[in-house]
């Protein structure tokens, strides 16, 4: 069966991240932007299916470029929403396996926070900061992803990601990306990130 992508529901309400992320910002981000990548990826899959059914030629370079962009956008957003928790329930400092791994690899949580924030603030243009762990060395690694699919480490699971496309924060923070990155620490869902780490 040929399956397609669908927009996941948020694990909280549209007002639950306020005042850090407003209802308007979150609604548009989820319903318009994330939906756009789902629609985009599905459209390309349909195009591939139709061409295969008809035996038609495809511009593989253009098709695959678009597919990587849209699938990347869909998957990173699908990881992003549960990386956040309602205001008052998220934030703080990570404990458990994640807290130990951060202390071991970065020296301290403060040092990790600083490096991750610098990665997020300095993404060139549109992109993401993400926390990952190398399957070989078991080191935690920060990724600075450009667009949705550039600078990813192949086969490295993403534990936590932060969207720093302007569409993620412009209504609330205008051009002040550092303020949005700072707000992220108040709603980050460490329990979810810990669970992801325990599963890989
Ligand atoms: Mn986004």
């Amino acid at each position: 069966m040929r399956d397609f992508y669908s927009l996941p529901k948020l694990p909280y309400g549209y007002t639950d991240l306020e005042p850090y992320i407003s209802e308007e910002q979150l609604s548009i981000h989820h319903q318009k932007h994330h939906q756009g990548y789902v629609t985009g990826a599905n459209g390309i899959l349909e195009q591939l299916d139709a061409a295969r059914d008809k035996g038609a030629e495809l511009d593989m370079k253009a098709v695959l470029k678009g597919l990587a962009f849209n699938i990347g956008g869909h998957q990173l957003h699908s990881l992003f929403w549960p990386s956040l928790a309602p205001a008052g329930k998220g934030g703080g400092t990570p404990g458990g396996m994640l807290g130990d791994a951060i202390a071991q690899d970065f020296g301290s949580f403060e040092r990790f926070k600083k490096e991750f924030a610098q990665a997020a603030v300095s993404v060139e243009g549109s992109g993401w900061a993400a926390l990952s762990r190398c399957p070989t060395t078991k080191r935690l690694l920060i990724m600075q992803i450009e667009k949705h699919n550039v600078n990813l480490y192949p086969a490295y699971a993403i534990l936590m990601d932060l969207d720093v496309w302007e569409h993620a924060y412009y209504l609330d923070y205008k051009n002040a990306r550092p303020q949005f990155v700072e707000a992220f620490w108040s709603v980050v869902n460490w329990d979810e990130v810990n669970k992801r780490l325990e599963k890989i």
Side-chain angles (χ1 to χ4, degrees):
M1 199 190 83
R2 288 163 166 180
D3 204 357
F4 291 92
Y5 298 104
S6 58
L7 184 69
K9 282 205 168 71
L10 295 183
Y12 36 72
Y14 286 114
T15 59
D16 287 348
L17 304 181
E18 292 186 337
Y20 305 102
I21 301 174
S22 69
E23 179 181 15
E24 186 186 19
Q25 180 76 77
L26 184 58
S27 306
I28 291 175
H29 194 180
H30 180 241
Q31 295 170 4
K32 303 293 180 192
H33 293 281
H34 187 170
Q35 180 65 57
Y37 303 121
V38 171
T39 305
N42 288 341
I44 295 169
L45 291 179
E46 283 170 0
Q47 199 187 331
L48 281 166
D49 289 346
R52 286 164 186 164
D53 291 345
K54 285 186 265 177
E57 290 296 320
L58 285 164
D59 179 349
M60 285 309 282
K61 186 176 173 184
V63 166
L64 297 182
K65 196 174 167 74
L67 194 59
F69 178 81
N70 283 287
I71 290 177
H74 169 52
Q75 299 295 5
L76 288 173
H77 283 91
S78 298
L79 285 164
F80 179 52
W81 308 125
S83 298
L84 304 174
K89 293 185 181 164
T93 53
M97 193 177 167
L98 179 67
D100 293 345
I102 286 174
Q104 179 176 303
D105 290 340
F106 292 90
S108 68
F109 175 63
E110 287 309 312
R111 175 72 198 191
F112 160 72
K113 230 175 118 173
K114 187 177 169 183
E115 287 190 21
F116 190 87
Q118 283 177 344
V121 167
S122 65
V123 173
E124 206 168 81
S126 299
W128 301 72
L131 178 65
S132 179
R133 190 179 69 166
C134 170
T136 309
T137 65
K138 310 297 182 197
R139 273 174 176 268
L140 292 177
L141 291 172
I142 293 168
M143 292 186 201
Q144 189 181 54
I145 302 165
E146 291 177 14
K147 295 191 280 186
H148 299 309
N149 53 346
V150 179
N151 286 352
L152 281 163
Y153 308 143
Y156 285 39
I158 291 176
L159 304 170
M160 171 178 101
D161 59 349
L162 171 58
D163 189 343
V164 290
W165 280 59
E166 280 190 350
H167 73 222
Y169 60 84
Y170 204 82
L171 291 174
D172 290 342
Y173 297 93
K174 300 291 184 284
N175 60 329
R177 189 191 283 181
Q179 282 179 27
F180 171 62
V181 172
E182 185 57 33
F184 168 72
W185 299 118
S186 296
V187 285
V188 60
N189 187 344
W190 292 125
D191 289 342
E192 175 66 21
V193 184
N194 239 317
K195 273 185 216 156
R196 289 176 184 163
L197 179 60
E198 284 164 6
K199 270 193 231 156
I200 59 169

